[in-house]
Amino acid sequence: MTARLLSTILLASLIISSAYAKDKSKSKLPEQVLRARTVLVVVNPDAGEPVDNPTANSTARENVEKALMEWGRLQPVMDGQEADLVIAVKTGDGRMGRPTIKGGPTDSRTGVMQPTDGGIRIGGQHGHAPPLNDPSMNPPQNDSPRVTNEVGTSQDTFEVYLGSVQYPLDVPPIWRYSAKDCLRPSPAVPAVEQFRKAMTEAEKAQQQKKNP
């Protein structure tokens, strides 16, 4: 390989790397997200409740719902209601493997009463909640409570999917945030704050595109 050819390849690599870095700095949120007004917050179907903290994921879901209500941009809805977006949450506790409880009442709820700064949110499940994943693509689930050894991320995760579609969780999330304790209010819920920031950046990029 000649020195000139090598220089050309290196220069091309630098240009591609620079373009990629710039592209990564831009928001990837699609237009549907910016138009969204309703959201369904769920516990990730793959999550189990830690044996030493069996309400960890349901508490995280409530934390996110309260933070969304205080934000005011997206209105949380209950299972069985159509939503523009679906947010799936899952807690971590710093361990890559942990004993968890799956199945039974820890994975579902029939109603909610949440106090917020703006009042109280009261709601009930509207009909039978449709599956978030295609049942035909997964083996039959054991719905009875059982202890498993969960293997996965040691951090909290917050994933955003497009709603108003069948089996929304069967496709990759359109936005994802993962960090230690990012689903806990401190005082704000960090994952929701990061999503707000991403929405703001996306709107600015959209406006700049319309008015260059």
Side-chain angles (χ1 to χ4, degrees):
M1 183 181 293
T2 66
R4 183 175 180 180
L5 178 59
L6 179 60
S7 298
T8 301
I9 294 174
L10 290 175
L11 179 59
S13 298
L14 288 172
I15 293 174
I16 293 173
S17 298
S18 176
Y20 178 75
K22 290 180 180 179
D23 186 59
K24 287 289 285 184
S25 68
K26 296 179 181 179
S27 172
K28 295 293 186 179
L29 293 178
E31 176 70 22
Q32 298 97 308
V33 177
L34 302 183
R35 295 198 303 264
R37 291 296 177 265
T38 57
V39 59
L40 171 65
V41 184
V42 300
V43 174
N44 192 306
D46 293 331
E49 297 289 358
V51 171
D52 55 355
N53 186 9
T55 61
N57 288 300
S58 56
T59 297
R61 174 175 55 189
E62 291 184 4
N63 291 340
V64 168
E65 288 177 331
K66 290 179 182 179
L68 291 171
M69 291 178 63
E70 290 169 2
W71 176 13
R73 169 113 182 213
L74 296 169
Q75 177 63 40
V77 300
M78 292 293 297
D79 292 342
Q81 292 179 292
E82 190 172 273
D84 299 323
L85 300 177
V86 176
I87 293 176
V89 300
K90 181 180 179 180
T91 61
D93 61 359
R95 294 176 289 176
M96 291 301 293
R98 58 178 180 174
T100 61
I101 303 172
K102 286 193 174 183
T106 58
D107 293 343
S108 61
R109 61 177 178 177
T110 57
V112 63
M113 185 174 68
Q114 296 172 337
T116 66
D117 292 343
I120 298 178
R121 176 191 176 215
I122 300 176
Q125 182 171 309
H126 292 246
H128 182 69
L132 300 173
N133 303 97
D134 186 353
S136 66
M137 300 298 292
N138 299 283
Q141 297 295 312
N142 179 4
D143 292 331
S144 61
R146 62 200 183 280
V147 177
T148 65
N149 191 34
E150 183 174 313
V151 178
T153 178
S154 61
Q155 299 179 322
D156 293 352
T157 57
F158 176 103
E159 298 176 331
V160 181
Y161 301 82
L162 290 178
S164 302
V165 297
Q166 191 175 34
Y167 313 131
L169 302 193
D170 277 349
V171 297
I174 56 177
W175 193 86
R176 185 178 188 275
Y177 184 74
S178 179
K180 181 181 179 181
D181 297 335
C182 71
L183 300 177
R184 296 184 181 182
S186 57
V189 176
V192 175
E193 291 302 300
Q194 290 296 321
F195 186 47
R196 290 181 62 171
K197 181 179 178 181
M199 291 274 276
T200 299
E201 292 175 350
E203 288 179 324
K204 288 181 178 178
Q206 183 187 63
Q207 193 63 31
Q208 291 173 355
K209 187 175 181 180
K210 292 181 179 178
N211 303 295

